[in-house]
């Protein structure tokens, strides 16, 4: 916990805090790994993406009971739970009685595509409530609150560093390095962009050989980060995506990997809990523009909708944490306004 100055009071008796959180573009690697104690642990490495995220504003009302907490839009129940848990934690740390208030969320992250929409909402809510108490919670605390609120969360509270993250426990299994190798990603949506209900997916049967395979991919990804190899990263992402098809079973997967080979991409990555996918390119490869154009034409020919093309890697936006705390603390964030229902199957295009 980092104490901060009190957040701004907007009207008598209320105190407002704000928070933000980014999204991601699905996973590079996801599976079951061994932690430092040799225990099996579900883990993932996400692909960071600058762009749409969640913003939250929490209007704290001292004197209102802790049960008097509302959220707008009303369907963001996970974020509401996170706000209530955070309010109780912050009240305990500051010696104040817990109270209610109103949480308002806005954002343009599509739901169901595997881009971390619920985690982004939850983390933004945690930061906004903490901001209203004049606190900045450290990432492990934010992660613990997020897991309590939604049972699993993505590592969006950690900035752009590549980490192997235990999403059901809210802890880092390994920091893989300072930044991923630079990539150009041509994003697309499989299954016509239809949302994926992850709770309805069958549980994967993971045996010893699977854990050994995931550990080999972990070692290869560690080497890719250490050497800055986009080619090796692409191989890891493709292998992880292929293993994920045992559960997801995207009918376009074979076509996607084949067209990636034809246009000279280093691989593909697919969200393991959604429909978003990306064709990965080494930005230093000759004829990059031609390769990307060929990829877009091939996606169109196969009826796979392209979404956005973006870069990731060692740029400053991804090499350090994105500013995410309220104007009372950092002077950089805009307060969140009322949210509108998210469009379920669209990604903003560049």
């Amino acid at each position: 916990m980092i104490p901060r100055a009190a957040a701004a009071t907007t009207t008598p008796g209320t105190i407002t805090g704000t928070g933000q959180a980014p999204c991601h573009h699905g996973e590079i690697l996801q599976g079951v790994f061994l932690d430092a104690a040799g225990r099996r642990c579900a883990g993932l490495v996400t692909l960071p993406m600058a762009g749409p995220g969640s913003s939250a504003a929490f209007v704290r009302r001292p004197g209102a009971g802790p049960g008097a907490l509302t959220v707008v839009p009303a369907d963001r129940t996970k974020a509401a739970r996170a706000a209530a848990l955070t309010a109780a934690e912050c009240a305990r740390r500051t010696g104040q009685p817990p109270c209610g208030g109103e949480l308002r969320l806005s954002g343009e992250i599509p739901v169901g595509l595997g881009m971390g929409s619920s985690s982004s909402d939850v983390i933004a809510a945690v930061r906004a409530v903490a901001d209203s108490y004049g606190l900045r919670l450290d990432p492990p605390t934010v992660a613990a609150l997020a897991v309590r609120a939604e049972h699993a969360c993505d590592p969006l509270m950690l900035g752009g560093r590549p980490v192997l993250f235990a999403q059901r426990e809210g802890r880092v299994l390994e920091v893989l390095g300072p930044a991923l190798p630079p990539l150009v990603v041509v994003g697309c949506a499989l299954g016509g962009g239809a949302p994926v209900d992850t709770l309805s997916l069958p549980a994967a049967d993971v045996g010893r050989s699977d854990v050994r395979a995931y550990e080999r991919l972990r070692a290869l990804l560690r080497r890719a980060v250490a050497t800055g190899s986009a080619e090796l990263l692409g191989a890891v992402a493709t292998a992880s995506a292929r293993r994920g098809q045992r559960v997801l079973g995207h009918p376009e997967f074979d076509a996607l990997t084949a067209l990636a080979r034809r246009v000279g991409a280093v691989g593909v990555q697919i969200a393991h809990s959604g429909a978003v996918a990306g064709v990965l390119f080494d930005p230093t490869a000759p004829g990059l523009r031609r390769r990307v154009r060929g990829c877009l034409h091939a996606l169109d020919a196969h009826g796979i909708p392209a979404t956005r093309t973006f870069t990731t890697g060692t740029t400053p936006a991804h090499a350090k944490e994105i500013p995410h705390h309220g104007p009372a603390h950092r002077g950089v964030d805009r307060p969140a306004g009322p949210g509108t229902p998210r469009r379920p199957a669209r990604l903003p295009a560049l």
Side-chain angles (χ1 to χ4, degrees), residues 24-119:
H24 60 76
H25 199 263
E27 286 72 38
I28 295 169
L29 174 62
Q30 181 166 346
V32 177
F33 305 88
L34 300 177
D35 67 8
R39 184 175 62 88
R40 288 188 182 188
C41 189
L44 53 80
V45 181
T46 56
L47 180 64
M49 182 182 74
S54 295
S55 296
F58 182 68
V59 180
R60 181 162 63 94
R61 296 192 173 94
L69 195 153
T70 60
V71 60
V72 180
D75 63 347
R76 310 292 171 83
T77 55
K78 294 177 181 178
R81 285 199 297 270
L85 291 167
T86 307
E89 176 65 17
C90 292
R92 182 187 66 79
R93 294 186 181 210
T94 59
Q96 303 179 48
C99 65
E102 182 184 65
L103 175 68
R104 301 178 72 84
L105 292 159
S106 63
E108 290 296 323
I109 309 173
V111 173
L113 293 186
M115 297 177 66
S117 59
S118 62
S119 288

Side-chain angles (χ1 to χ4, degrees), residues 6 88 147 154:
V147 169
D154 295 318

Side-chain angles (χ1 to χ4, degrees), residues 29 33-36 44-45 158 161-166 171-177 215 217-219 221-223 225:
L29 174 62
F33 305 88
L34 300 177
D35 67 8
L44 53 80
V45 181
L158 298 173
R161 291 187 307 170
V163 298
L164 180 62
F165 187 75
R171 64 188 178 101
V172 175
L173 299 177
E174 180 182 355
V175 177
L176 297 165
E215 284 294 327
L217 292 177
R218 174 185 184 174
L221 183 55
R222 187 188 303 124
R223 187 192 308 169
V225 172

Side-chain angles (χ1 to χ4, degrees), residues 27-29 232-242 268-270 280:
E27 286 72 38
I28 295 169
L29 174 62
L232 189 52
L233 186 152
V236 170
T238 304
S240 179
R242 180 170 286 110
V268 301
Q269 59 88 212
I270 294 177
L280 311 178

